[in-house]
Amino acid sequence: MMLIVFLGPPGAGKGTQAERLAELLAIPHLSTGEMLRKEMEVQSELGQRAAHFIQDGQLVPDDLIVDMVVQWLAADGTKGGAILDGFPRTVPQAESLDRALHEMSRQVDCVIQLTVDPDELRRRLLLRGRMDDNQDAIERRLVIYSRQTRPLVDFYRQHGLLERIDGMGTPEEVFERIKEAIRRRGFRERP
Ligand code: ADP
């Protein structure tokens, strides 16, 4: 069982790289942003509660997101390992995750931090052009990342779990760096 967390600002390429790594290791991955957007699409209660936070570029309240992720992790398909993209995003979320994993006799095994220059982040997000990728929401998300999510870098470094990866360059170049880190940590690839 291996549990890998992707950490990094919006636009760092977490989604792209998490998907590739999930394929390589043959384990499922969860993007909390994707999951929330699906909930919004079908206008579930959760989706309706989350919508205005997302459109504004704010974080969805911790309790909404924690339940969603813990339920996913408790499901059978993740027993052999899993990748989380976009969660945890705050220290309280990370603490809730640790508590929930502890009860399942599991733990976070590795945290991949993707670093990208702020100007490159803005460029990538404007290119992507999702409904929450407008100038105001982007600036708000970058500030929220610095204030609320960045502290997780130290949190996980103190736990000896952090792999800092340069996220500049092509997706292929970045993936090569991730593979190196994963191999160093002894994770097994799909046969
Ligand atoms: P990005 O990585 O570009 O910020 P995501 O798809 O990961 O995009 O997330 C989109 C939005 O979904 C976030 O701006 C936030 O409102 C909400 N969201 C996703 N994950 C979380 C989380 N763990 N906690 C709170 N809000 C979240």
Side-chain angles (χ1 to χ4, degrees):
M1 157 66 199
M2 50 197 156
L3 186 60
I4 300 170
V5 168
F6 272 82
L7 191 62
K14 300 185 298 291
T16 308
Q17 300 298 335
E19 203 172 311
R20 288 184 180 215
L21 190 58
E23 166 84 11
L24 182 78
L25 300 176
I27 56 178
H29 72 117
L30 175 68
S31 153
T32 45
E34 276 294 310
M35 194 177 243
L36 287 170
R37 281 188 290 277
K38 276 187 201 138
E39 297 287 335
M40 278 165 60
E41 232 172 81
V42 300
Q43 298 189 3
S44 69
E45 200 194 317
L46 172 62
Q48 289 180 22
R49 286 174 68 190
H52 75 274
F53 293 104
I54 295 177
Q55 270 147 8
D56 257 24
Q58 296 183 57
L59 293 183
V60 168
D62 286 345
D63 55 333
L64 287 190
I65 203 95
V66 168
D67 287 351
M68 193 175 95
V69 176
V70 170
Q71 274 175 33
W72 184 79
L73 283 170
D76 277 348
T78 73
K79 290 289 178 284
I83 297 178
L84 293 177
D85 153 23
F87 180 92
R89 242 179 170 93
T90 64
V91 172
Q93 286 181 13
E95 289 168 347
S96 298
L97 175 65
D98 278 353
R99 273 195 300 275
L101 289 172
H102 186 75
E103 279 177 25
M104 299 185 234
S105 306
R106 289 159 75 174
Q107 64 194 44
V108 173
D109 296 296
C110 176
V111 176
I112 295 177
Q113 178 202 3
L114 292 177
T115 63
V116 171
D117 297 348
D119 284 345
E120 172 66 9
L121 292 175
R122 292 188 181 90
R123 197 188 65 85
R124 289 184 187 178
L125 291 168
L126 286 172
L127 268 178
R128 184 170 71 181
R130 212 169 58 198
M131 62 87 170
D132 57 341
D133 289 337
N134 59 76
Q135 211 111 39
D136 281 356
I138 288 173
E139 292 310 320
R140 208 165 294 140
R141 277 150 64 208
L142 291 174
V143 170
I144 289 176
Y145 175 79
S146 307
R147 291 201 189 132
Q148 305 211 59
T149 310
R150 253 202 90 84
L152 286 177
V153 171
D154 283 333
F155 179 92
Y156 284 122
R157 187 185 290 121
Q158 279 158 14
H159 288 76
L161 297 174
L162 198 74
E163 286 289 349
R164 196 165 188 272
I165 305 281
D166 177 7
M168 300 289 284
T170 66
E172 289 72 27
E173 286 164 347
V174 177
F175 191 54
E176 284 305 317
R177 296 176 195 135
I178 292 174
K179 278 201 287 197
E180 257 173 56
I182 288 295
R183 286 179 185 142
R184 239 187 356 255
R185 289 203 172 237
F187 289 103
R188 256 184 296 123
E189 293 171 23
R190 181 201 284 268

